[in-house]
PDB file of all heavy atoms in Angstrom:
ATOM      1  N   TYR A  58     145.307 157.973  66.287  1.00 87.00           N
ATOM      2  CA  TYR A  58     144.067 158.138  67.140  1.00 87.00           C
ATOM      3  C   TYR A  58     144.203 159.054  68.288  1.00 87.00           C
ATOM      4  O   TYR A  58     143.409 159.200  69.202  1.00 87.00           O
ATOM      5  CB  TYR A  58     143.574 156.760  67.586  1.00 87.00           C
ATOM      6  CG  TYR A  58     142.967 155.928  66.603  1.00 87.00           C
ATOM      7  CD1 TYR A  58     143.592 154.749  66.252  1.00 87.00           C
ATOM      8  CD2 TYR A  58     141.863 156.219  65.884  1.00 87.00           C
ATOM      9  CE1 TYR A  58     143.148 153.959  65.240  1.00 87.00           C
ATOM     10  CE2 TYR A  58     141.336 155.535  64.914  1.00 87.00           C
ATOM     11  CZ  TYR A  58     141.989 154.288  64.550  1.00 87.00           C
ATOM     12  OH  TYR A  58     141.457 153.533  63.561  1.00 87.00           O
ATOM     13  N   GLY A  59     145.321 159.790  68.315  1.00 80.00           N
ATOM     14  CA  GLY A  59     145.546 160.779  69.410  1.00 80.00           C
ATOM     15  C   GLY A  59     144.503 161.843  69.414  1.00 80.00           C
ATOM     16  O   GLY A  59     143.986 162.228  70.515  1.00 80.00           O
ATOM     17  N   ASP A  60     144.056 162.458  68.302  1.00 80.00           N
ATOM     18  CA  ASP A  60     143.205 163.505  68.238  1.00 80.00           C
ATOM     19  C   ASP A  60     141.818 163.069  68.608  1.00 80.00           C
ATOM     20  O   ASP A  60     141.234 163.635  69.580  1.00 80.00           O
ATOM     21  CB  ASP A  60     143.084 164.042  66.712  1.00 80.00           C
ATOM     22  CG  ASP A  60     142.200 165.283  66.620  1.00 80.00           C
ATOM     23  OD1 ASP A  60     141.770 165.760  67.664  1.00 80.00           O
ATOM     24  OD2 ASP A  60     142.141 165.709  65.448  1.00 80.00           O
ATOM     25  N   ILE A  61     141.227 162.090  68.129  1.00 89.00           N
ATOM     26  CA  ILE A  61     139.868 161.581  68.447  1.00 89.00           C
ATOM     27  C   ILE A  61     139.889 161.042  69.911  1.00 89.00           C
ATOM     28  O   ILE A  61     138.875 161.046  70.531  1.00 89.00           O
ATOM     29  CB  ILE A  61     139.340 160.543  67.453  1.00 89.00           C
ATOM     30  CG1 ILE A  61     137.832 160.467  67.531  1.00 89.00           C
ATOM     31  CG2 ILE A  61     139.989 159.263  67.632  1.00 89.00           C
ATOM     32  CD1 ILE A  61     137.213 159.745  66.324  1.00 89.00           C
ATOM     33  N   GLY A  62     140.993 160.541  70.415  1.00 89.00           N
ATOM     34  CA  GLY A  62     141.150 160.020  71.648  1.00 89.00           C
ATOM     35  C   GLY A  62     141.070 160.961  72.834  1.00 89.00           C
ATOM     36  O   GLY A  62     140.835 160.536  73.940  1.00 89.00           O
ATOM     37  N   THR A  63     141.316 162.224  72.526  1.00 87.00           N
ATOM     38  CA  THR A  63     141.227 163.180  73.630  1.00 87.00           C
ATOM     39  C   THR A  63     139.946 163.992  73.520  1.00 87.00           C
ATOM     40  O   THR A  63     139.731 164.939  74.329  1.00 87.00           O
ATOM     41  CB  THR A  63     142.380 164.142  73.595  1.00 87.00           C
ATOM     42  OG1 THR A  63     142.522 164.698  72.242  1.00 87.00           O
ATOM     43  CG2 THR A  63     143.691 163.442  73.900  1.00 87.00           C
ATOM     44  N   SER A  64     139.053 163.727  72.613  1.00 90.00           N
ATOM     45  CA  SER A  64     137.747 164.416  72.520  1.00 90.00           C
ATOM     46  C   SER A  64     136.972 164.303  73.750  1.00 90.00           C
ATOM     47  O   SER A  64     136.204 165.223  74.078  1.00 90.00           O
ATOM     48  CB  SER A  64     136.971 163.864  71.304  1.00 90.00           C
ATOM     49  OG  SER A  64     137.596 164.274  70.004  1.00 90.00           O
ATOM     50  N   PRO A  65     136.935 163.187  74.495  1.00 93.00           N
ATOM     51  CA  PRO A  65     136.151 163.132  75.740  1.00 93.00           C
ATOM     52  C   PRO A  65     136.490 164.144  76.718  1.00 93.00           C
ATOM     53  O   PRO A  65     135.591 164.447  77.697  1.00 93.00           O
ATOM     54  CB  PRO A  65     136.472 161.718  76.260  1.00 93.00           C
ATOM     55  CG  PRO A  65     136.805 160.954  75.109  1.00 93.00           C
ATOM     56  CD  PRO A  65     137.516 161.842  74.155  1.00 93.00           C
ATOM     57  N   LEU A  66     137.680 164.829  76.677  1.00 89.00           N
ATOM     58  CA  LEU A  66     137.996 165.820  77.603  1.00 89.00           C
ATOM     59  C   LEU A  66     136.978 167.023  77.543  1.00 89.00           C
ATOM     60  O   LEU A  66     136.774 167.695  78.556  1.00 89.00           O
ATOM     61  CB  LEU A  66     139.446 166.374  77.365  1.00 89.00           C
ATOM     62  CG  LEU A  66     140.573 165.464  77.767  1.00 89.00           C
ATOM     63  CD1 LEU A  66     141.844 165.936  77.152  1.00 89.00           C
ATOM     64  CD2 LEU A  66     140.609 165.601  79.280  1.00 89.00           C
ATOM     65  N   TYR A  67     136.513 167.212  76.350  1.00 87.00           N
ATOM     66  CA  TYR A  67     135.634 168.518  76.171  1.00 87.00           C
ATOM     67  C   TYR A  67     134.388 168.253  75.389  1.00 87.00           C
ATOM     68  O   TYR A  67     133.397 169.024  75.416  1.00 87.00           O
ATOM     69  CB  TYR A  67     136.510 169.516  75.469  1.00 87.00           C
ATOM     70  CG  TYR A  67     137.212 169.077  74.224  1.00 87.00           C
ATOM     71  CD1 TYR A  67     136.558 168.980  72.979  1.00 87.00           C
ATOM     72  CD2 TYR A  67     138.557 168.734  74.345  1.00 87.00           C
ATOM     73  CE1 TYR A  67     137.286 168.550  71.939  1.00 87.00           C
ATOM     74  CE2 TYR A  67     139.297 168.366  73.212  1.00 87.00           C
ATOM     75  CZ  TYR A  67     138.564 168.256  72.004  1.00 87.00           C
ATOM     76  OH  TYR A  67     139.285 167.786  70.926  1.00 87.00           O
ATOM     77  N   ALA A  68     134.292 167.194  74.615  1.00 90.00           N
ATOM     78  CA  ALA A  68     133.093 166.989  73.737  1.00 90.00           C
ATOM     79  C   ALA A  68     131.796 166.898  74.475  1.00 90.00           C
ATOM     80  O   ALA A  68     130.847 167.634  74.191  1.00 90.00           O
ATOM     81  CB  ALA A  68     133.371 165.786  72.837  1.00 90.00           C
ATOM     82  N   SER A 164     143.272 170.883  72.333  1.00 81.00           N
ATOM     83  CA  SER A 164     143.585 169.681  73.093  1.00 81.00           C
ATOM     84  C   SER A 164     144.457 169.918  74.332  1.00 81.00           C
ATOM     85  O   SER A 164     144.126 169.536  75.343  1.00 81.00           O
ATOM     86  CB  SER A 164     144.240 168.659  72.106  1.00 81.00           C
ATOM     87  OG  SER A 164     143.342 168.297  71.055  1.00 81.00           O
ATOM     88  N   SER A 167     142.783 172.099  77.008  1.00 82.00           N
ATOM     89  CA  SER A 167     141.690 171.526  77.714  1.00 82.00           C
ATOM     90  C   SER A 167     142.202 170.588  78.839  1.00 82.00           C
ATOM     91  O   SER A 167     141.633 170.377  79.827  1.00 82.00           O
ATOM     92  CB  SER A 167     140.796 170.659  76.722  1.00 82.00           C
ATOM     93  OG  SER A 167     141.550 169.684  76.103  1.00 82.00           O
ATOM     94  N   MET A 213     149.420 156.246  74.889  1.00 91.00           N
ATOM     95  CA  MET A 213     148.014 156.356  74.455  1.00 91.00           C
ATOM     96  C   MET A 213     147.268 155.066  74.721  1.00 91.00           C
ATOM     97  O   MET A 213     146.041 155.073  75.069  1.00 91.00           O
ATOM     98  CB  MET A 213     148.003 156.660  72.934  1.00 91.00           C
ATOM     99  CG  MET A 213     148.234 158.133  72.689  1.00 91.00           C
ATOM    100  SD  MET A 213     147.233 159.275  73.596  1.00 91.00           S
ATOM    101  CE  MET A 213     145.596 158.973  72.847  1.00 91.00           C
ATOM    102  N   TRP A 216     146.301 155.541  78.181  1.00 94.00           N
ATOM    103  CA  TRP A 216     145.303 156.480  78.207  1.00 94.00           C
ATOM    104  C   TRP A 216     143.936 155.909  77.851  1.00 94.00           C
ATOM    105  O   TRP A 216     142.914 156.201  78.566  1.00 94.00           O
ATOM    106  CB  TRP A 216     145.652 157.654  77.205  1.00 94.00           C
ATOM    107  CG  TRP A 216     144.481 158.585  76.920  1.00 94.00           C
ATOM    108  CD1 TRP A 216     143.731 158.814  75.764  1.00 94.00           C
ATOM    109  CD2 TRP A 216     143.991 159.730  77.752  1.00 94.00           C
ATOM    110  NE1 TRP A 216     142.822 159.741  75.892  1.00 94.00           N
ATOM    111  CE2 TRP A 216     142.935 160.314  77.109  1.00 94.00           C
ATOM    112  CE3 TRP A 216     144.359 160.131  79.057  1.00 94.00           C
ATOM    113  CZ2 TRP A 216     142.224 161.378  77.675  1.00 94.00           C
ATOM    114  CZ3 TRP A 216     143.644 161.177  79.628  1.00 94.00           C
ATOM    115  CH2 TRP A 216     142.619 161.754  78.913  1.00 94.00           C
ATOM    116  N   PHE A 217     143.852 155.193  76.801  1.00 96.00           N
ATOM    117  CA  PHE A 217     142.486 154.603  76.393  1.00 96.00           C
ATOM    118  C   PHE A 217     142.000 153.649  77.370  1.00 96.00           C
ATOM    119  O   PHE A 217     140.839 153.595  77.747  1.00 96.00           O
ATOM    120  CB  PHE A 217     142.632 154.017  74.992  1.00 96.00           C
ATOM    121  CG  PHE A 217     142.432 154.842  73.821  1.00 96.00           C
ATOM    122  CD1 PHE A 217     143.601 155.234  73.106  1.00 96.00           C
ATOM    123  CD2 PHE A 217     141.282 155.452  73.548  1.00 96.00           C
ATOM    124  CE1 PHE A 217     143.445 156.074  72.029  1.00 96.00           C
ATOM    125  CE2 PHE A 217     141.151 156.434  72.489  1.00 96.00           C
ATOM    126  CZ  PHE A 217     142.206 156.590  71.669  1.00 96.00           C
ATOM    127  N   MET A 220     140.928 155.599  80.424  1.00 95.00           N
ATOM    128  CA  MET A 220     139.662 156.271  80.077  1.00 95.00           C
ATOM    129  C   MET A 220     138.477 155.376  80.053  1.00 95.00           C
ATOM    130  O   MET A 220     137.476 155.719  80.567  1.00 95.00           O
ATOM    131  CB  MET A 220     139.882 156.934  78.760  1.00 95.00           C
ATOM    132  CG  MET A 220     138.788 157.933  78.283  1.00 95.00           C
ATOM    133  SD  MET A 220     139.322 158.900  76.853  1.00 95.00           S
ATOM    134  CE  MET A 220     139.673 157.664  75.616  1.00 95.00           C
ATOM    135  N   LEU A 295     136.355 154.666  74.060  1.00 96.00           N
ATOM    136  CA  LEU A 295     135.670 155.942  73.817  1.00 96.00           C
ATOM    137  C   LEU A 295     134.185 155.796  74.306  1.00 96.00           C
ATOM    138  O   LEU A 295     133.702 156.646  74.991  1.00 96.00           O
ATOM    139  CB  LEU A 295     135.710 156.429  72.342  1.00 96.00           C
ATOM    140  CG  LEU A 295     137.086 156.907  71.936  1.00 96.00           C
ATOM    141  CD1 LEU A 295     136.994 157.207  70.469  1.00 96.00           C
ATOM    142  CD2 LEU A 295     137.414 158.219  72.676  1.00 96.00           C
ATOM    143  N   TYR A 299     132.316 157.878  77.351  1.00 97.00           N
ATOM    144  CA  TYR A 299     131.095 158.811  77.238  1.00 97.00           C
ATOM    145  C   TYR A 299     129.952 158.262  78.023  1.00 97.00           C
ATOM    146  O   TYR A 299     129.163 158.993  78.582  1.00 97.00           O
ATOM    147  CB  TYR A 299     130.804 158.828  75.756  1.00 97.00           C
ATOM    148  CG  TYR A 299     131.668 159.742  74.920  1.00 97.00           C
ATOM    149  CD1 TYR A 299     132.459 159.213  73.867  1.00 97.00           C
ATOM    150  CD2 TYR A 299     131.889 161.056  75.274  1.00 97.00           C
ATOM    151  CE1 TYR A 299     133.293 160.069  73.191  1.00 97.00           C
ATOM    152  CE2 TYR A 299     132.697 161.957  74.649  1.00 97.00           C
ATOM    153  CZ  TYR A 299     133.393 161.412  73.538  1.00 97.00           C
ATOM    154  OH  TYR A 299     134.249 162.249  72.831  1.00 97.00           O
ATOM    155  N   ALA A 333     146.476 163.245  80.921  1.00 88.00           N
ATOM    156  CA  ALA A 333     145.658 163.890  79.952  1.00 88.00           C
ATOM    157  C   ALA A 333     146.616 164.870  79.096  1.00 88.00           C
ATOM    158  O   ALA A 333     146.413 165.019  77.953  1.00 88.00           O
ATOM    159  CB  ALA A 333     144.477 164.636  80.522  1.00 88.00           C
ATOM    160  N   ALA A 336     148.475 162.972  76.700  1.00 86.00           N
ATOM    161  CA  ALA A 336     147.655 162.451  75.707  1.00 86.00           C
ATOM    162  C   ALA A 336     147.233 163.518  74.727  1.00 86.00           C
ATOM    163  O   ALA A 336     147.148 163.227  73.545  1.00 86.00           O
ATOM    164  CB  ALA A 336     146.271 161.860  76.289  1.00 86.00           C
ATOM    165  N   THR A 337     147.089 164.706  75.182  1.00 82.00           N
ATOM    166  CA  THR A 337     146.724 165.802  74.248  1.00 82.00           C
ATOM    167  C   THR A 337     147.940 166.278  73.388  1.00 82.00           C
ATOM    168  O   THR A 337     147.778 166.676  72.291  1.00 82.00           O
ATOM    169  CB  THR A 337     146.111 167.008  75.036  1.00 82.00           C
ATOM    170  OG1 THR A 337     147.026 167.414  76.079  1.00 82.00           O
ATOM    171  CG2 THR A 337     144.795 166.722  75.556  1.00 82.00           C
ATOM    172  N   VAL A 338     149.134 166.137  74.024  1.00 79.00           N
ATOM    173  CA  VAL A 338     150.276 166.292  73.124  1.00 79.00           C
ATOM    174  C   VAL A 338     150.269 165.331  72.045  1.00 79.00           C
ATOM    175  O   VAL A 338     150.607 165.712  70.834  1.00 79.00           O
ATOM    176  CB  VAL A 338     151.582 166.292  74.002  1.00 79.00           C
ATOM    177  CG1 VAL A 338     152.819 166.218  73.110  1.00 79.00           C
ATOM    178  CG2 VAL A 338     151.648 167.407  74.950  1.00 79.00           C
ATOM    179  N   ALA A 340     147.738 163.771  70.895  1.00 76.00           N
ATOM    180  CA  ALA A 340     146.567 164.103  70.004  1.00 76.00           C
ATOM    181  C   ALA A 340     147.007 164.975  68.851  1.00 76.00           C
ATOM    182  O   ALA A 340     146.539 164.910  67.727  1.00 76.00           O
ATOM    183  CB  ALA A 340     145.449 164.711  70.804  1.00 76.00           C
ATOM    184  N   SER A 341     147.811 165.957  69.212  1.00 78.00           N
ATOM    185  CA  SER A 341     148.309 166.904  68.155  1.00 78.00           C
ATOM    186  C   SER A 341     149.118 166.228  67.110  1.00 78.00           C
ATOM    187  O   SER A 341     149.147 166.753  65.992  1.00 78.00           O
ATOM    188  CB  SER A 341     149.129 168.059  68.863  1.00 78.00           C
ATOM    189  OG  SER A 341     148.363 168.637  69.942  1.00 78.00           O
TER     190      SER A 341
END
Side-chain angles (χ1 to χ4, degrees):
Y58 290 115
D60 186 4
I61 201 169
T63 53
S64 294
L66 283 166
Y67 47 81
S164 299
S167 65
M213 284 305 294
W216 167 255
F217 276 109
M220 188 167 57
L295 286 173
Y299 284 121
T337 52
V338 167
S341 306

